[in-house]
Amino acid sequence: MDGYPPEPWNLRARACVSLWSVDRDRLPALPVGVRPLALRGRAVVATAFVDYLPGGVLTYRELLAAVAVRGGTRPGVSITHIWVDSAASRAGGRELWGIPKEMAEFEVAGDFTASARVDGEVVASVRCAGLPSGVPAPAWASTWQELGGELVRTPLRVSGRVRPVRAAWRLSGPLAWVTGARPLVSVAVTDARLRFGPRAR
């Protein structure tokens, strides 16, 4: 079923997130109107496995890669690659916010060991050491995506408990552009509550 909830989406989740320093020349195409936040030719990229839990409007798993960008004077992220295991999430992400979600098969085990397969091939896996309680860390951000030929901004608010961890990633295929870099920092997020949208008009 591809029917999806109206925006905003209120979700509950846990996640393993890493930030990387990637050569700007290796970045995939970004929407017209945004530019990567880069220093000395290096851009900041985030990769994340997210497990959306019961208690939100949808339950599903997600793998994404996003580039830190600026749209005009506003910082945010642009999601370049993203996979989910929910047809409703895929349809809603594309139609509401221009997020280029595709389908994948996921395995998530233990505290947080996860992998995603696309057409039978593993495109990413991570082993995130432990998911301790951490400390409260609210955050605010925006996504910048292309929708219907226009650049759109969607606000995201997150609250949860965060703690630095060690994350061992394996990335290939469509995420091979991240390889060769080392994570700057990795965090485990637990007890997360997210509010995504509504899209800025």
Side-chain angles (χ1 to χ4, degrees):
M1 178 178 178
D2 291 353
Y4 53 83
E7 59 178 349
W9 287 7
N10 292 296
L11 301 160
R12 300 190 67 178
R14 60 178 185 145
C16 182
V17 183
S18 293
L19 299 181
W20 311 71
S21 173
V22 177
D23 190 325
R24 180 172 178 166
D25 292 339
R26 292 179 61 87
L27 296 179
L30 296 171
V32 174
V34 301
R35 61 187 186 277
L37 294 175
L39 179 63
R40 297 179 180 176
R42 309 288 293 182
V44 176
V45 171
T47 57
F49 269 101
V50 188
D51 188 12
Y52 291 103
L53 305 169
V57 296
L58 289 173
T59 58
Y60 61 99
R61 278 121 177 215
E62 182 175 86
L63 163 68
L64 66 87
V67 180
V69 299
R70 185 179 296 277
T73 60
R74 293 178 179 269
V77 298
S78 185
I79 299 171
T80 61
H81 296 80
I82 181 169
W83 295 268
V84 296
D85 62 358
S86 160
S89 175
R90 179 185 185 276
R94 285 174 166 264
E95 296 173 19
L96 293 173
W97 308 300
I99 296 174
K101 295 185 179 184
E102 298 289 357
M103 299 295 291
E105 297 178 353
F106 288 79
E107 293 183 6
V108 179
D111 285 341
F112 214 98
T113 299
S115 64
R117 291 179 179 270
V118 177
D119 296 328
E121 299 293 331
V122 176
V123 296
S125 64
V126 71
R127 184 181 298 275
C128 191
L131 288 182
S133 58
V135 297
W140 296 264
S142 295
T143 61
W144 291 92
Q145 308 293 145
E146 184 178 329
L147 178 63
E150 297 183 359
L151 183 65
V152 298
R153 180 179 69 87
T154 305
L156 167 65
R157 284 174 278 178
V158 183
S159 64
R161 304 186 72 85
V162 176
R163 181 172 175 178
V165 294
R166 288 190 174 185
W169 287 85
R170 290 176 180 260
L171 303 169
S172 62
L175 296 179
W177 55 276
V178 184
T179 59
R182 290 186 178 181
L184 300 171
V185 63
S186 298
V187 297
V189 184
T190 55
D191 302 324
R193 295 177 181 268
L194 302 89
R195 181 179 175 89
F196 196 78
R199 186 173 79 239
R201 306 294 180 180

